[in-house]
Amino acid sequence: MKHIFLEIIAIIVSSVIASVTFWLVTPDKMLEAKIIIPTLIFILILLYGAVKYIFQLQEELKNNNQIKLPKLKTIEENYYIFEASEIFEPQSYCILYFIDKTKQKLALGIVETIIDSSHLLQVKILEDIDKDIQNKMLKNKEKIYLKPTITTLYVDKENIMQGAE
């Protein structure tokens, strides 16, 4: 919202300056170049800023409605550490996906804890994952995402495992 006001102010100020400049400068009047050139440069800078803010606002609004899924940070022992995310809570089921051009399910897991200091998600995998696949996951960790399913309060492990097959 702050960007909208800055854009409107920049457009109004540059419009007023341009209008006053061209109102003062009629064909029969001459202004010195030391006045007109800095004024025109100032107008161009304000218009550039306004256009830049418009595109930034458009991108911000486009990304504002999307939920960002956390990416894999590292694998430590039997735990998979993911980026911080507000859409997960402890003891909630989740699925690890490899998302590139297609979406491939890797494993089912539970968010065991949320690390206090960094808010990283510590996920315990409920299925066995081969060491080669783990190494491949670490090499492509920017493509490994965690997607929520349902909390453990509602479904036991056997039911969710049957639904995942």
Side-chain angles (χ1 to χ4, degrees), residues 57-93:
L57 178 65
Q58 181 182 10
E59 187 68 27
E60 191 175 298
L61 289 174
K62 185 173 119 181
N63 293 334
N64 199 21
N65 295 329
Q66 298 175 353
I67 296 174
K68 298 204 186 311
L69 296 175
K71 296 179 185 175
L72 180 68
K73 300 276 287 179
T74 188
I75 300 173
E76 295 178 2
E77 297 175 18
N78 292 329
Y79 293 102
Y80 292 70
I81 310 298
F82 283 85
E83 296 173 342
S85 176
E86 296 176 2
I87 61 175
F88 290 94
E89 62 182 36
Q91 300 305 310
S92 57
Y93 279 109

Side-chain angles (χ1 to χ4, degrees), residues 70 80-85 88-89 111 113-115 119-123 146:
Y80 292 70
I81 310 298
F82 283 85
E83 296 173 342
S85 176
F88 290 94
E89 62 182 36
V111 177
T113 59
I114 297 175
I115 301 170
H119 302 288
L120 296 175
L121 305 171
Q122 183 176 336
V123 177
L146 192 65

